[in-house]
Amino acid sequence: DDRSLIALIEEEINLLPPRMKQVFEMSRKDFLSNKEIAVILGTTEDTVKKQISNSIKAIKIKMGKYAGASIIVMEILRYRP
């Protein structure tokens, strides 16, 4: 079900390298802009974009065995109100 899928995604997020996880969560959970994240972390917006992109790629690869759920996974990973 959806809750199991979300739990698996959360597990994969927790396995990301610490800085990548931090950037990903600031973007997708705290809904901060790339610029805001860059200022807070003292880095560039390009670095933030790359970290988010790499996070999504890593999670997609690890979730590949759940191919039927790939659309749901992508919506969860890209969701930003």
Side-chain angles (χ1 to χ4, degrees):
D1 68 349
D2 287 349
R3 283 182 272 167
S4 297
L5 182 59
I6 291 170
L8 287 171
I9 293 169
E10 287 291 331
E11 190 175 306
E12 294 304 330
I13 291 169
N14 287 328
L15 294 174
L16 293 170
R19 183 66 159 213
M20 189 181 290
K21 177 184 174 194
Q22 180 184 25
V23 170
F24 183 83
E25 289 184 332
M26 291 173 82
S27 172
R28 297 308 194 257
K29 291 184 177 182
D30 299 335
F31 307 110
L32 298 176
S33 70
N34 292 350
K35 184 175 185 175
E36 290 171 317
I37 296 168
V39 169
I40 291 167
L41 298 179
T43 191
T44 66
E45 284 184 68
D46 285 340
T47 298
V48 170
K49 287 178 192 176
K50 188 168 191 141
Q51 289 286 324
I52 293 168
S53 176
N54 289 343
S55 299
I56 291 170
K57 285 177 190 173
I59 294 166
K60 279 176 55 178
I61 289 168
K62 291 178 182 178
M63 297 298 294
K65 61 186 169 184
Y66 301 97
S70 63
I71 294 172
I72 295 169
V73 170
M74 289 313 302
E75 288 303 312
I76 291 168
L77 295 177
R78 295 193 186 280
Y79 175 73
R80 290 184 73 166

